[in-house]
Amino acid sequence: MQLYHHPLDLDSQRVRISLEEEGVDYTSHHVNPITGKNLDSSFFKMNRRGRVPVFQNGSHIIYNTIDIIQYIERIAVVSSGAESISASNREVMEWMQKIQDWDPKFFTLAHIPEKYRIYVSKFIRQVVIARMSESPELAGDYHRKLREAYETEEKLKEADVLRRSKEHLVRLLDEVERQLCETPFLAGQEFTMADVMLIPVLARIKLLDLENEYITGRPNIAEYWLLVQQRPSYKRVIGKYFNGWRKHKTLLKTWFLVRIRSLLKRY
C-alpha cells in the first residue's frame, strides 16, 4: 500500500493518523505541494487534481480523505481476522463530514505573510507552465491548475472570503466545545475517526499561532487538545515535524527549496 502525502497537508495528516491508529503498514511518498512536486507528471497522471493525499493499494486508487480513512478501517478489521467488517457509526460519520466541510485553504493562506504567499504563488505558476511544456498531453489539466492559482489570489483579496472561513471555523469549534462538555472524545467515550479528523484542525491553529484566539478560550477543547497531543499517532505524524524548533526546521526547509529553485529558475 502506497500513500502519497506531505507533513504540511491537513488531509494527509488525517490519513496518516488513521494509519497509525489502526496499525496498518504502508509505504510513504512525500509530495510537497509548496515546492510543486504534486505537479510532476508522474503524480499528476495519477491524480489530475494534483492534490494529496492519494492512497494506492495495487490498482485501487482513492483520493477522497474520508473514503481513504474508511478503507483503512476495513483493512484493519480484515487484518485482525474479524469475521465481519465494522465501520464508523453514524455519529462518527456525521462528525467526520462536518469537520471535512470546513476548508482550511483560505484561512491558512490569509494568515501567511503576504510577501511569502505571493512569492510561492508565483513560483507555483511557473512550475505549472514548465510542466505544461514538458507534458503537452496534460496541458488541459495543467491549464486548469494555473487558472485555480490565479483565482485563489483573487479570492484572497475579498474580505468576505476570509470572514466566511473564520465564521465557519468558529461555528465548528463552538459545536465541538459543547460536545466535549458531555464526552471526553468527539463521538463518545472512545477515540474514533471523528477525532482523527479534528486533530489536524487544532494542529493547524497551533501552527498559525492562533491558539489563544481559537483554543484557549474554549476550556473543553483546550483540555482535549492537551490529551490528544499525548497519543503516539499525533507524535509520529504531527509532533515530529511541528513541536518546538521542529516547526521552524520544517518550514525553513520548504522555503529554502522554493527560493533556490526560483533563483536558479529550476522549475
Side-chain angles (χ1 to χ4, degrees):
M1 287 177 284
Q2 317 287 320
L3 177 66
Y4 299 84
H5 67 98
H6 192 267
L8 289 166
D9 178 70
L10 191 144
D11 279 327
S12 293
Q13 293 169 353
R14 289 167 170 161
V15 171
R16 288 197 62 221
I17 292 174
S18 70
L19 285 162
E20 294 290 341
E21 289 286 341
E22 297 290 3
V24 175
D25 292 331
Y26 64 99
T27 301
S28 170
H29 302 278
H30 278 203
V31 180
N32 192 340
I34 300 176
T35 60
K37 297 300 289 184
N38 60 316
L39 299 170
D40 287 356
S41 60
S42 58
F43 180 80
F44 208 67
K45 288 175 181 176
M46 187 191 315
N47 181 5
R48 301 295 177 91
R49 296 167 66 233
R51 297 180 184 175
V52 288
V54 174
F55 188 81
Q56 182 177 16
N57 187 9
S59 61
H60 191 46
I61 302 175
I62 315 174
Y63 312 106
N64 178 274
T65 300
I66 292 179
D67 290 345
I68 295 173
I69 291 174
Q70 289 182 297
Y71 186 79
I72 291 167
E73 282 189 292
R74 292 195 293 272
I75 291 173
V77 172
V78 171
S79 299
S80 70
E83 294 182 0
S84 61
I85 297 178
S86 62
S88 294
N89 63 36
R90 181 177 176 180
E91 183 180 4
V92 172
M93 286 302 303
E94 286 177 352
W95 272 112
M96 290 175 71
Q97 190 58 60
K98 196 175 296 183
I99 296 166
Q100 183 70 10
D101 286 342
W102 178 67
D103 186 349
K105 178 180 179 179
F106 293 108
F107 180 84
T108 301
L109 291 174
H111 288 92
I112 294 174
E114 187 177 18
K115 65 176 182 178
Y116 297 120
R117 191 187 75 230
I118 292 175
Y119 190 95
V120 171
S121 178
K122 288 180 178 178
F123 170 78
I124 292 298
R125 294 199 296 269
Q126 290 296 327
V127 173
V128 174
I129 293 168
R131 298 297 171 272
M132 197 184 303
S133 64
E134 293 171 358
S135 304
E137 73 278 11
L138 300 172
D141 295 299
Y142 280 125
H143 188 269
R144 175 177 48 78
K145 291 296 293 184
L146 189 61
R147 186 170 62 250
E148 285 179 8
Y150 281 110
E151 288 174 353
T152 295
E153 283 302 314
E154 289 302 312
K155 286 183 179 179
L156 283 168
K157 298 175 183 177
E158 301 174 17
D160 281 350
V161 171
L162 178 58
R163 178 184 57 79
R164 288 194 297 269
S165 182
K166 283 185 174 181
E167 289 176 350
H168 191 165
L169 176 60
V170 167
R171 289 195 302 271
L172 173 63
L173 293 177
D174 285 346
E175 188 170 355
V176 169
E177 176 70 8
R178 290 192 294 271
Q179 178 60 40
L180 292 177
C181 183
E182 304 293 331
T183 56
F185 294 103
L186 199 50
Q189 299 299 315
E190 302 293 333
F191 185 91
T192 69
M193 292 299 153
D195 300 291
V196 166
M197 293 293 290
L198 179 63
I199 289 171
V201 174
L202 302 180
R204 178 58 52 89
I205 291 170
K206 179 181 179 180
L207 179 65
L208 297 171
D209 293 323
L210 296 170
E211 279 186 280
N212 287 338
E213 183 175 351
Y214 292 97
I215 295 178
T216 306
R218 295 177 171 88
N220 295 314
I221 291 180
E223 182 179 352
Y224 169 89
W225 178 226
L226 291 174
L227 176 66
V228 296
Q229 287 180 82
Q230 302 309 309
R231 298 186 75 84
S233 61
Y234 172 88
K235 293 178 181 179
R236 284 194 287 267
V237 174
I238 299 176
K240 176 181 177 181
Y241 298 98
F242 296 109
N243 280 355
W245 61 270
R246 294 182 182 89
K247 175 178 77 170
H248 303 290
K249 178 183 176 182
T250 301
L251 296 175
L252 284 173
K253 181 180 178 181
T254 298
W255 175 244
F256 178 77
L257 288 172
V258 171
R259 286 284 292 173
I260 291 297
R261 288 176 58 187
S262 295
L263 291 172
L264 298 177
K265 300 189 182 301
R266 296 286 296 275
Y267 302 116

